[in-house]
Amino acid sequence: MSGSPDGGQPGEGNVRRTRRGTGRTTLTDVARVAGVAPITASRALNSPDRVSAETLARVRQAVDNTGYVPNLLAGGLASSRSRLGALVVPSIASPIYLDFVQALTTSLNEADYQLLLGESGYHNARESDLLDAIIARRPDGIVLTGTMHSAQGRKRLRSSGIPVVETWGMTSRPLDMLAGVAQQEVGAAAAAHLNTIGRRRTAVIAADDHMASRRARGFTTEVARTRGAEPEAATVPIVRITAPSTLGQGRRALSRLLEQHEVDSVFCTSDTIALGVLIEAQARGLSVPDDLAVIGYGDMNFAADTPPPLTTVRVDGAEIGRQAARFLLDKSQGRRVSRRVVDIGFSLVVRESA
């Protein structure tokens, strides 16, 4: 069929608004311009493999000519799929999550899904309202940065029936699917390394968010396990700072630490904090690692180039994002998810600072 239903030829000039008064171009308009039936135009947009290449090209050209934007909500109601994923992050400015967000976005885009991004804050002040707003839009899946601890939040998400992927943390009670890292084991690995290189007067500088707190707890637990009988290891000094952590907070935290304690090593719950510690140590004339060994977390893009290069814990944020996308796509498209918990793991990258 090469002409339009009213006898004209396909083209931009044949566009007619079917929703009077709205000025909105509809799928019927696209079908008319393409010279096909509305059901064929719908099939071309939603299941392009079910139409001929020639028909697909005509429908796509008609979309370009008319400026048509599909009503994804209406399509989602009909197919039970919105082709929309939602991600909740503590802060869109946090560099630790950049690779994670990029990989998740790319993986979803390759499957013709879009990502809705919401910021909850590190202390979940906006979490309740944000979850309500996301659930109301009925995405095909929700990805959480961290694990859901709020009983009300868990109830809300379970009641929604929307697939949920928790990421970055680990829990024995996942809501649905989980791709993360045992954060407590991260801290334990840092403590074990400092113990191996003979450091006994250890300390922690930790942000006050949940995952950083778990890293700090893992560190102190490992110190107590391996050196609990030694007087100097009876307690581990901890300086808490407000998340999101900054370089300046790292500098000030080390100052507070050194004013109150004699320490020979510091575990920082982020590389940003560790960079501040390195700068403050240098300003005070301390040699790293001779006077003070420093370990960070994140292996950020500057970690290998600090003076000295920073020992840190590397987590593959991009793989967390790809696994979260696989979970979301499999569940939303009705495929069986046999393995619902994936531990991405981590590695200690030993450099000159410790």
Side-chain angles (χ1 to χ4, degrees), residues 269-282:
T269 59
S270 79
D271 283 354
T272 303
I273 298 173
L275 179 57
V277 167
L278 291 177
I279 292 172
E280 183 62 25
Q282 184 179 45

Side-chain angles (χ1 to χ4, degrees), residues 9-346:
Q9 293 299 315
E12 187 172 4
N14 290 318
V15 177
R16 294 192 308 198
R17 310 295 186 192
T18 59
R19 300 277 179 98
R20 296 186 182 277
T22 66
R24 187 189 328 169
T25 301
T26 68
L27 183 62
T28 301
D29 298 322
V30 172
R32 182 180 297 109
V33 171
V36 300
I39 192 171
T40 303
S42 175
R43 190 175 295 124
L45 294 176
N46 295 304
S47 303
D49 57 319
R50 296 176 60 194
V51 300
S52 69
E54 188 263 343
T55 298
L56 180 60
R58 283 163 55 193
V59 171
R60 286 179 171 171
Q61 184 61 54
V63 168
D64 289 343
N65 289 345
T66 61
Y68 172 69
V69 177
N71 184 336
L72 294 180
L73 179 59
L77 292 173
S79 67
S80 298
R81 282 162 51 190
S82 64
R83 307 193 78 82
L84 177 71
L87 170 64
V88 178
V89 292
S91 171
I92 59 175
S94 177
I96 193 71
Y97 300 125
L98 292 179
D99 290 344
F100 162 63
V101 175
Q102 184 63 59
L104 176 60
T105 302
T106 300
S107 297
L108 292 180
N109 284 347
E110 289 172 351
D112 292 326
Y113 279 65
Q114 299 301 316
L115 185 67
L116 174 69
L117 184 62
E119 185 179 59
S120 63
Y122 277 93
H123 304 291
N124 301 323
R126 301 185 293 274
E127 183 180 81
S128 180
D129 289 343
L130 180 59
L131 283 179
D132 284 348
I134 288 173
I135 291 170
R137 284 160 176 78
R138 307 305 300 174
D140 284 340
I142 299 173
V143 179
L144 303 176
T145 304
T147 54
M148 176 57 65
H149 304 284
S150 158
Q152 189 60 33
R154 293 175 68 87
K155 180 179 179 181
R156 220 184 236 114
L157 288 167
R158 281 207 171 103
S159 298
S160 74
I162 298 171
V164 176
V165 185
E166 295 167 288
T167 62
W168 285 90
M170 294 295 287
T171 176
S172 59
R173 297 190 312 125
L175 262 169
D176 186 2
M177 298 166 287
L178 189 153
V181 175
Q183 296 288 337
Q184 198 150 330
E185 292 182 13
V186 168
H193 176 69
L194 290 176
N195 183 61
T196 297
I197 64 174
R199 303 304 170 111
R200 295 294 182 268
R201 299 190 302 277
T202 59
V204 178
I205 299 176
D208 61 357
D209 64 276
H210 181 78
M211 284 193 285
S213 295
R214 288 188 68 84
R215 293 193 285 276
R217 190 179 310 123
F219 185 94
T220 57
T221 299
E222 178 66 10
V223 169
R225 187 187 73 80
T226 59
R227 304 200 302 270
E230 300 178 23
E232 66 270 26
T235 60
V236 176
I238 301 179
V239 177
R240 301 280 182 181
I241 61 178
T242 303
S245 52
T246 65
L247 182 154
Q249 286 177 310
R251 292 195 65 173
R252 291 186 289 274
L254 181 61
S255 294
R256 285 162 49 197
L257 188 62
L258 295 178
E259 287 169 2
Q260 301 172 27
H261 304 278
E262 290 187 11
V263 299
D264 62 10
S265 51
V266 180
F267 171 54
C268 305
T269 59
S270 79
D271 283 354
T272 303
I273 298 173
L275 179 57
V277 167
L278 291 177
I279 292 172
E280 183 62 25
Q282 184 179 45
R284 289 171 171 264
L286 298 176
S287 173
V288 176
D290 295 337
D291 299 323
L292 184 73
V294 181
I295 298 180
Y297 168 83
D299 196 24
M300 295 183 190
N301 57 12
F302 59 78
D305 300 309
T306 57
L310 180 64
T311 293
T312 184
V313 177
R314 177 185 296 156
V315 174
D316 192 342
E319 180 55 27
I320 295 176
R322 288 189 289 267
Q323 181 59 57
R326 287 193 286 267
F327 274 146
L328 188 154
L329 293 170
D330 284 348
K331 194 75 177 286
S332 69
Q333 295 175 7
R335 293 190 288 269
R336 182 170 175 268
V337 179
S338 57
R339 185 185 178 198
R340 291 175 175 263
V341 176
V342 175
D343 187 343
I344 301 298
F346 63 89

